[in-house]
Amino acid sequence: MEASKVIHAIYTDDDVLMSAVKTVKAEKHHIEEVYTPFPVHGLDKAMGLAPTRLAITAFIYGCIGLSVAFAMMNFIMIKDWPQDIGGKPSFSYLENMPAFVPIMFELTVFFAAHLMVITFYLRSRMWPFKDAENPDPRTTDDHFLMEIAVHNNEESLTNLLKSTGAVEINIIDKDEDAH
Amino acid sequence: MEYKISNRLRIGAIILMILGALGVGYGFIDSHKSFEDIETMLSEETHHGEVSEVATVEEAHGASHAEGDHSGGDHVDEHKKHVEHVLHQVHNRPWSALYVAGFFFFMIALGVLAFYAIQHAAQAGWSPVLFRVMEGITSYVLPGGIIVLLIAFFADSHVFIWLTDGITTEGHEKYDALVAGKSGWLNKPGFFIRGIIFLAGWSAYQYFSRKFSLAQDNADINDNSNFKKNFRISAGFLVFFIYTESVMSWDWIMSVDPHWFSTLFGWYVLSGMLVCGITVIAMVTIYLKSKGLLEHVNDSHIHDLGKFMFGFSIFWTYLWFSQFMLIWYSNIPEEVTYFITRIEDYNLPFFGMVALNFIFPLLLLMNSDFKRVNWFVIMTGIVILGGHYLDIFNMIMPATVGDRWFIGIPEISSILFFAGLFIFLVFTSLGKYPLLAKGNPFVKESENFHY
């Protein structure tokens, strides 16, 4: 079996990287991954990544939080023990609702925020003892790295990447067990 | 780009004004009822199955009644008082309808003025392509404000109960100790002196900011002096505005219920003002853009305005709820009556407006893509404007017409009249100058703005 090889092109400027990504996309090569030290505005669009659906999940989580708040207070304050506390009308949920709104609001925000963050961690595979998937430590400081799979086209790919302004091009045998 | 108000729009605005004026006139004639008319009207209402009418009358006016004195003379007196009370409410209705609509359209222009000043003071990079639109809308501040003051002057005690003759005279049958105690602030000369000072300050800022903005267009490329002047007066205006807007809301709105007061009322009025203003900026912008006149305005500008509409709608709801919940929760009789009348007599408008001003914008404008769809922004804008008209309606009407309210000819005609006037003045003013503030140092950034 042929070892799977990848090519790592390293850049030192985000503008050069952006134009390189556009060139590589125009040549119809598949970019496996791009590593950058900071968010590069418009990189996701240039790479053709699908937009995130995280906001939609947050909306759904917020709705769940609102339902939890409603169910909880309706059971505790209205159904289970409808006690007269300082003359508050606990005959129905609606009658006493203004008093519940602060909690309904906070739980909506709480669920939306926390569950969305957890969703983000799960989707991006981030947890405390995870090994860093960093092909080159310099990419967290001041270098940008583009990773492209090699399919017997080493020569042409290297030339193409050189022409886009890469400062360094490495061909790596990708060892799946490394991370 | 040059713009001239089209004949169709001008004629449409004039038709609205004429229709509105006719309806307002009809409202005044229709409300011109005598004591006997009201007496027959009330007895008819009682016969139409409203059995509770008599009961509530006696409940409302019969504090002494409950003592057990059922003499005939007392009953006649009660009846006379009740009929007079209703008579006043019926007379107040066309005045209040006019005042509500007049204030509503004035408040839009004032909200735009505040937003415009914020854009200058914050040196916003996205909005300079919209400055001429805002300047056009704010040209309504002076005429609109004068009209509101004139209505207040002529409506007198029909809208402001503290202007009733004898209300501050001790021993007079209309004497009201609470109002008399506030008469150091609530008196006619004071009201109008303050009103004129506010209006003078606001329209002076409006006049000078537009003047500097136009002068900057023709200035040398390296000469930013007019821009700097505009920045300074905007910052100064915002300080002046936040004080005067608060006081204006006490005078022009809160004083219709002189027994009631609320500390966050000024903010509450301000938030409604801003959301209406931003909505109208968005709507006028989309209209002009659809005519191909605002070539530099793109979807991102509309998106930003949509975000402001969304955000300020929620801010308005936050203040509405904070005011309501605080009073509901502590339930102190002297302040809770304000909401009791609104919930009992204005149930649908009172809670309906929360749906219109909160739930609709919340669900319609939450999605980022929807904020770029022009017809979506227009649709939400119409809902928001309707909701905030109801908001002003709910502030004024319960104090003046009580449960005799209806959204009928006087109310709708007043809206039509002021809508026509607003469109006429705003679009005429928009046609006077180029639609791009090309001298503004941020205009390049604004033209290329994208989100």
Side-chain angles (χ1 to χ4, degrees), chain A residues 98-116:
Chain A
F100 301 145
V101 165
I103 299 161
M104 286 156 69
F105 171 78
E106 294 295 349
L107 278 182
T108 307
V109 175
F110 179 87
F111 271 64
H114 289 84
L115 291 181
M116 179 179 74

Side-chain angles (χ1 to χ4, degrees), chain A residues 59 88 95-96 98-99 101-102, chain B residues 321 324-325 328-329 363 366 450:
Chain A
F59 180 77
K88 287 271 160 298
E95 270 181 292
N96 211 0
V101 165
Chain B
F321 182 72
F324 172 70
M325 195 262 248
W328 173 86
Y329 213 120
L363 295 177
M366 187 172 318
H450 74 99

Side-chain angles (χ1 to χ4, degrees), chain A residues 4-9 11 20-21 23-25 27-35 145-151 153-154 157-158 160-161 164 169-172 174:
Chain A
S4 84
K5 277 184 178 174
V6 293
I7 192 158
H8 281 172
Y11 300 85
V21 166
T23 317
V24 171
K25 285 302 277 189
E27 296 287 325
K28 305 238 184 299
H29 290 293
H30 177 69
I31 302 172
E32 298 270 306
E33 197 68 79
V34 174
Y35 296 88
L145 188 149
M146 193 197 302
E147 184 179 295
I148 302 169
V150 179
H151 305 286
N153 52 356
E154 254 178 67
L157 206 50
T158 314
L160 173 70
L161 289 171
T164 59
I169 293 170
N170 305 318
I171 294 164
I172 312 271
K174 198 158 189 176

Side-chain angles (χ1 to χ4, degrees), chain B residues 101-116:
Chain B
F103 182 81
F104 175 68
F105 281 95
F106 166 71
M107 141 181 141
I108 291 173
L110 191 60
V112 174
L113 190 67
F115 189 69
Y116 175 76

